[in-house]
Amino acid sequence: MPLRNDDVRFISSPLKIPPFRPQPPVPFFAQTLTKSKNFLSHLIYSLNESTRSTEPFTRKLQSFAEHLYGKSVRICSTCLSMTGAVDTLVNFPLLCSASLSLNQSSAEFPAQSELSTQLQQKAQQPHSVSRSDEERVLISEVLVRNKDGEELERKDLETEALTALKACRANSALTVREVQEDVHRIIDSGYFCSCMPVAVDTRDGIRLVFQVEPNQEFHGLVCEGANVLPTKFVEDAFRDGYGKVVNIRRLDEVITSINGWYMERGLFGMVSGVEILSGGIIRLQVAEAEVNNISIRFLDRKTGEPTKGKTRPETILRQLTTKKGQVYSMLQGKRDVETVLTMGIMEDVSIIPQPAGDTGKVDLIMNVVERPSGGFSAGGGISSGITSGPLSGLIGSFAYSHRNVFGRNQKLNISLERGQIDSIFRINYTDPWIEGDDKRTSRTIMVQNSRTPGTHVHGNQPDNSSLTIGRVTAGMEFSRPIRPKWSGTVGLIFQHSGARDEKGNPIIKDFYSSPLTASGKTNDEMLIAKFESVYTGSGDQGSSMFVFNMEQGLPVLPEWLFFNRVNARARKGVEIGPARLLLSLSGGHVVGNFSPHEAFAIGGTNSVRGYEEGAVGSGQSYVVGSGEISFPMLGPVEGVIFSDYGTDLGSGPSVPGDPAGARLKPGSGYGYGFGIRVDSPLGPLRLEYAFNDKQAKRFHFGVGYRN
């Protein structure tokens, strides 16, 4: 019946073993690996140095081994895994995990000279031979015995030793070198801790006896220093060997697998020592490099020399997920580098691990190069709300921004945008991470004064007059990650809004006598509680996205508006060979006492193409769907074909004054067409030609992706 090890249990925590007189250590394994004090620190230093030199890494590893264990050490097998190119490692030194089988050199086998003497004495005519012409001696019999010259109790071990022999066969003429090579082969089989060749003169000739000492049977495991290595992983790695003679080759494979576990996860850890104790207990020593200290070093943008930084170190350190006392992970360190870069105040970030003296831990030095803190900028763009005039839709902008106020990564933005009719003056002050909060909550304080065209809802005045909607807004918003790819925002905003004619005078009705305010006064005032939840996929424009937004008017004062407005948008991208299909759907509904100009406008560049802005309808509810297929053409140029559909769901008359009905807007419509897109520093430049269901044709030009 085959043996089963179902009842075998392993432990991977330190185990106290009663005092005993240890047996002679196993050559080339226990004696060498157990001398690895400060192993990790030296290895980190060796790896860092190896990236700055053309000297082969294996030569450095050999020198390092000789330094620890003496010059008699011979590296007979090495498993080395290194991530990244050499030039990458110069900037990001990585810890490499190596599994070594170390062997004593042939000079440590005293039997070679003894065997050589015995063979020379058996030769009929002894004479001096050169290194390339050794004397051969006829061997009549080859046996394997234990160290006392008796037969081995286990015949399977005898078979393993005989199988390992290559040159030593009965009735063969051998040299000392060939015998010595077979001695190494027996040792390399992994089952024996010593092997002594002995030549015996018999009446039938010379008998060559290999006196071997088998390793102990494996009966237990002690794993020390493994704080993050799973117990089950160690148990599974050693389970098959329980009750069997320890095989050094198999043990080396287990060590390689453990080191590989650390390497796959980017952890600074490896097996630093192995010893076979009395009773067949294997003691496994694991070295895990814990983070001893993390420091920030600022480098000059031009010289690369250390300098004084403007950012407070604690502002950077709080961004890191790597903490003191953790086993250092290169993957976690890479994520930390990316997180610091997303702060927007650094040009370059790198992490350099250094040995922390003789503690076996690592010190992390984060090198950062700061960007200029702030400055002035100017630019331009296009407003989709302007559909007529010689400078239709063109706007200019001027802004001042400071990215790192008080060295705390707080942002101050002051901007002015001015167009033919549009104008927006905005002040934003953002703290990306409120001090003392552990959920990465951000706070934004905003003040804004804007003037936008009223053509979306109240356009097409018969007298060709135009009106604008003025808004003064102030508020505060708080945002934070909810879960991976999800974020949430809540805020409280006060708004003062009203309509103005071409001369800037307040008005309360349009040409069709439709009201322009909900209160009947020249201005509406409202206090809005806002909630928004956003899901983003990979972050690319073609990836999945979902946005849900709700605004609730709070009637703190009797004249303040009371309403509820809900809006949602969804998008899904699908790759079809070189082309990409992009489907989008949006919809919303508003109830209560709301300003007519806050109705949902349908039609235009970011809605149903083929129509002017708001020309399909303006309703209390709406749904807009769109499908696009884009395909590469030449370099940064993409071609696109599209189709849009939108409807107010029959809610146009529900808007105070029914501005859509007064202007004979259809309430629903579709459009289709084609266009091109060109990548630019301002975002994608979109030029599209669309047809609508009324047989009208229209060009659309926009900057950036559709909403």
Side-chain angles (χ1 to χ4, degrees), residues 619-685:
Q620 190 175 355
S621 305
Y622 88 103
V623 172
V624 172
S626 176
E628 296 182 352
I629 297 178
S630 59
F631 46 89
M633 294 180 63
L634 181 63
V637 180
E638 280 188 339
V640 61
I641 56 176
F642 58 84
S643 177
D644 306 322
Y645 175 79
T647 176
D648 63 6
L649 300 175
S651 65
S654 301
V655 178
D658 188 14
R663 290 160 177 79
L664 302 178
K665 296 181 181 181
S668 65
Y670 64 86
Y672 56 92
F674 57 90
I676 60 172
R677 294 175 183 169
V678 182
D679 284 337
S680 75
L682 299 177
L685 303 179

Side-chain angles (χ1 to χ4, degrees), residues 471-692:
R471 296 180 178 88
V472 177
T473 306
M476 181 182 297
E477 295 182 352
F478 296 88
S479 301
R480 55 170 287 189
I482 301 175
R483 54 183 303 177
K485 300 183 179 181
W486 283 92
S487 63
T489 300
V490 295
L492 195 63
I493 301 169
F494 176 80
Q495 180 174 295
H496 175 91
S497 64
R500 300 288 188 273
D501 62 15
E502 292 177 325
K503 297 180 180 180
N505 299 318
I507 54 177
I508 60 175
K509 291 185 178 182
D510 64 9
F511 179 85
Y512 296 97
S513 297
S514 298
L516 298 175
T517 61
S519 63
K521 301 178 182 180
T522 56
N523 295 288
D524 286 334
E525 293 181 341
M526 62 200 81
L527 181 65
I528 303 171
K530 173 185 176 181
F531 169 77
E532 184 177 73
S533 180
V534 179
Y535 169 84
T536 55
S538 63
D540 298 332
Q541 173 64 15
S543 64
S544 300
M545 181 272 291
F546 175 77
V547 178
F548 175 81
N549 180 284
M550 183 177 69
E551 297 177 348
Q552 176 65 54
L554 304 176
V556 177
L557 297 179
E559 62 270 22
W560 289 3
L561 303 186
F562 177 58
F563 64 93
N564 181 269
R565 179 187 178 100
V566 177
N567 194 14
R569 305 193 310 271
R571 181 183 67 211
K572 176 66 176 179
V574 180
E575 300 290 339
I576 307 176
R580 182 177 62 210
L581 172 64
L582 186 64
L583 302 174
S584 61
L585 180 68
S586 61
H589 181 69
V590 58
V591 295
N593 187 23
F594 63 95
S595 301
H597 55 76
E598 297 291 349
F600 296 105
I602 308 169
T605 303
N606 291 317
S607 181
V608 179
R609 285 161 287 191
Y611 282 90
E612 292 186 7
E613 302 297 325
V616 173
S618 53
Q620 190 175 355
S621 305
Y622 88 103
V623 172
V624 172
S626 176
E628 296 182 352
I629 297 178
S630 59
F631 46 89
M633 294 180 63
L634 181 63
V637 180
E638 280 188 339
V640 61
I641 56 176
F642 58 84
S643 177
D644 306 322
Y645 175 79
T647 176
D648 63 6
L649 300 175
S651 65
S654 301
V655 178
D658 188 14
R663 290 160 177 79
L664 302 178
K665 296 181 181 181
S668 65
Y670 64 86
Y672 56 92
F674 57 90
I676 60 172
R677 294 175 183 169
V678 182
D679 284 337
S680 75
L682 299 177
L685 303 179
R686 299 158 44 206
L687 179 61
E688 299 160 337
Y689 189 65
F691 307 83
N692 65 23

Side-chain angles (χ1 to χ4, degrees), residues 144-190:
V144 175
R145 295 290 185 262
N146 63 20
K147 61 181 181 179
D148 297 325
E150 300 174 352
E151 291 189 7
L152 295 176
E153 295 181 0
R154 298 186 52 163
K155 294 299 182 182
D156 57 333
L157 293 179
E158 180 178 342
T159 302
E160 290 288 347
L162 290 173
T163 303
L165 299 178
K166 182 178 180 180
C168 297
R169 303 295 184 191
N171 301 317
S172 61
L174 305 175
T175 65
V176 172
R177 182 183 300 276
E178 291 172 335
V179 174
Q180 189 61 42
E181 289 174 352
D182 273 351
V183 169
H184 281 288
R185 293 187 181 97
I186 292 177
I187 293 295
D188 290 343
S189 69

Side-chain angles (χ1 to χ4, degrees), residues 385-506:
I386 309 294
T387 59
S388 62
L391 300 176
S392 175
L394 292 178
I395 59 174
S397 65
F398 182 78
Y400 170 79
S401 63
H402 197 294
R403 304 183 184 92
N404 196 11
V405 180
F406 307 125
R408 296 181 178 273
N409 191 35
Q410 297 175 1
K411 320 290 184 183
L412 173 64
N413 291 281
I414 303 174
S415 63
L416 173 64
E417 297 179 4
R418 181 68 174 161
Q420 185 180 5
I421 295 178
D422 300 54
S423 68
I424 300 176
F425 176 74
R426 182 187 297 114
I427 301 176
N428 276 18
Y429 187 82
T430 302
D431 185 353
W433 190 349
I434 300 174
E435 187 173 358
D437 177 77
D438 61 348
K439 303 296 184 181
R440 292 183 175 266
T441 303
S442 66
R443 176 181 57 225
T444 299
I445 301 173
M446 173 266 298
V447 177
Q448 179 175 295
N449 186 351
S450 66
R451 187 180 68 176
T452 58
T455 56
H456 290 64
V457 177
H458 299 278
N460 297 326
Q461 303 269 74
D463 58 357
N464 292 324
S465 63
S466 62
L467 58 87
T468 58
I469 307 299
R471 296 180 178 88
V472 177
T473 306
M476 181 182 297
E477 295 182 352
F478 296 88
S479 301
R480 55 170 287 189
I482 301 175
R483 54 183 303 177
K485 300 183 179 181
W486 283 92
S487 63
T489 300
V490 295
L492 195 63
I493 301 169
F494 176 80
Q495 180 174 295
H496 175 91
S497 64
R500 300 288 188 273
D501 62 15
E502 292 177 325
K503 297 180 180 180
N505 299 318

Side-chain angles (χ1 to χ4, degrees), residues 227-248:
N227 297 318
V228 298
L229 183 66
T231 300
K232 187 176 185 304
F233 183 87
V234 181
E235 292 177 352
D236 293 342
F238 280 92
R239 186 177 301 277
D240 292 341
Y242 186 81
K244 302 177 182 178
V245 172
V246 175
N247 186 291
I248 303 302

Side-chain angles (χ1 to χ4, degrees), residues 201-267:
D201 192 5
T202 67
R203 63 180 182 179
D204 297 326
I206 297 177
R207 177 188 300 159
L208 181 58
V209 180
F210 291 95
Q211 295 183 353
V212 298
E213 182 179 357
N215 295 327
Q216 302 179 62
E217 291 185 356
F218 173 47
H219 291 294
L221 172 68
V222 178
C223 185
E224 299 176 346
N227 297 318
V228 298
L229 183 66
T231 300
K232 187 176 185 304
F233 183 87
V234 181
E235 292 177 352
D236 293 342
F238 280 92
R239 186 177 301 277
D240 292 341
Y242 186 81
K244 302 177 182 178
V245 172
V246 175
N247 186 291
I248 303 302
R249 284 182 174 272
R250 169 57 183 158
L251 194 55
D252 183 68
E253 293 175 359
V254 172
I255 294 172
T256 301
S257 68
I258 294 175
N259 292 339
W261 184 90
Y262 283 103
M263 203 65 185
E264 289 172 2
R265 289 154 183 81
L267 295 170

